[in-house]
Amino acid sequence: MKRFRWVFLTLLIFGIGLGNYIFSRYHLGDVFSQTRERLIAIASNAALYINAQELLQVPLERTGDGSVAYQRISNELQTIKQANPSLKYVYILMTTDQPGILQYVVDADPAPQVITAKSPSAFPGDKYDARGFPELLKAYSGVTADKKITKDAWGVFISGYAPIRDPAGRSVAVLGVDMDAGQIGVLEKNTRRNALLAFLAFFLFLLS
């Protein structure tokens, strides 16, 4: 009788753990998919408001944030942020002569709001290593978004990207929008916890 109760209890725990894992996994995938679609839509629409010819006039040096072109485009990015309160950062990056290394052109959050003891600056011309962000590098070809949570010196995010095109249709830069991934990170932890619970229950069942 005791053995039966033990087996029944472990099966019950396994069923609960497996059910929670399946639900958490489905919910996580749904939330992530909706977030990606939203970021893609925001980035795509935002890129249309950026004047590519004016963007190319921004001096790619630390004093470039004082130029008229920078200020105008920065104001556009600030407007995009205000219209989408869920966004943490909005910025524009351009290629360099180094593969996988981009450089900032305009950032909607210049110093001192962004710069901390642990964060690099985001002035025109500052380099950004994008080799760990495949969707960002693909954004010159079309609108896209991260397929997993990413992390850099600014924090943990899910980001959307869109090419900024000149009148001839050539991509001259990429507009990026970052959304804090803290809540999705919590969902991921819960999913892993439920998977562990189901595994432990199944292991106990085998022992029984």
Side-chain angles (χ1 to χ4, degrees):
M1 188 66 179
K2 290 182 178 180
R3 181 181 178 84
F4 173 77
R5 289 178 179 175
W6 172 250
V7 173
F8 176 77
L9 180 60
T10 55
L11 279 175
L12 179 62
I13 295 174
F14 174 69
I16 293 174
L18 182 61
N20 285 337
Y21 169 73
I22 293 173
F23 174 78
S24 298
R25 193 70 188 175
Y26 174 80
H27 182 54
L28 174 62
D30 190 46
V31 170
F32 199 94
S33 178
Q34 290 180 13
T35 301
R36 286 191 77 243
E37 290 175 3
R38 183 180 178 190
L39 288 169
I40 286 174
I42 293 174
S44 179
N45 291 330
L48 299 176
Y49 288 92
I50 305 302
N51 186 315
Q53 293 174 317
E54 189 171 50
L55 181 67
L56 295 175
Q57 296 174 14
V58 176
L60 296 178
E61 54 190 35
R62 294 182 71 87
T63 57
D65 61 350
S67 66
V68 174
Y70 182 99
Q71 294 300 323
R72 286 179 178 173
I73 295 175
S74 179
N75 289 338
E76 288 287 356
L77 298 188
Q78 289 289 355
T79 300
I80 293 166
K81 276 194 66 178
Q82 291 169 6
N84 300 277
S86 61
L87 298 181
K88 191 164 186 180
Y89 299 123
V90 182
Y91 48 87
I92 296 173
L93 295 164
M94 190 177 288
T95 57
T96 67
D97 55 1
Q98 299 174 272
I101 305 298
L102 305 182
Q103 59 187 330
Y104 280 94
V105 185
V106 181
D107 188 347
D109 292 281
Q113 291 89 339
V114 168
I115 301 176
T116 67
K118 297 182 179 180
S119 297
S121 60
F123 291 102
D126 282 353
K127 301 299 187 293
Y128 184 80
D129 189 345
R131 287 173 292 184
F133 306 91
E135 298 308 310
L136 171 55
L137 294 176
K138 289 194 296 186
Y140 262 81
S141 300
V143 185
T144 185
D146 292 330
K147 294 182 178 179
K148 62 180 181 179
I149 293 176
T150 61
K151 182 179 181 181
D152 62 12
W154 279 268
V156 180
F157 307 103
I158 299 176
S159 304
Y161 316 101
I164 297 174
R165 304 183 188 277
D166 64 14
R170 295 184 294 264
S171 297
V172 299
V174 169
L175 183 144
V177 293
D178 293 348
M179 184 179 293
D180 194 305
Q183 292 183 343
I184 294 180
V186 172
L187 287 176
E188 280 193 333
K189 288 182 180 179
N190 290 339
T191 301
R192 288 195 294 267
R193 182 195 62 194
N194 290 331
L196 179 61
L197 177 62
F199 172 78
L200 289 175
F202 183 68
F203 180 71
L204 290 174
F205 172 69
L206 292 179
L207 289 178
S208 67

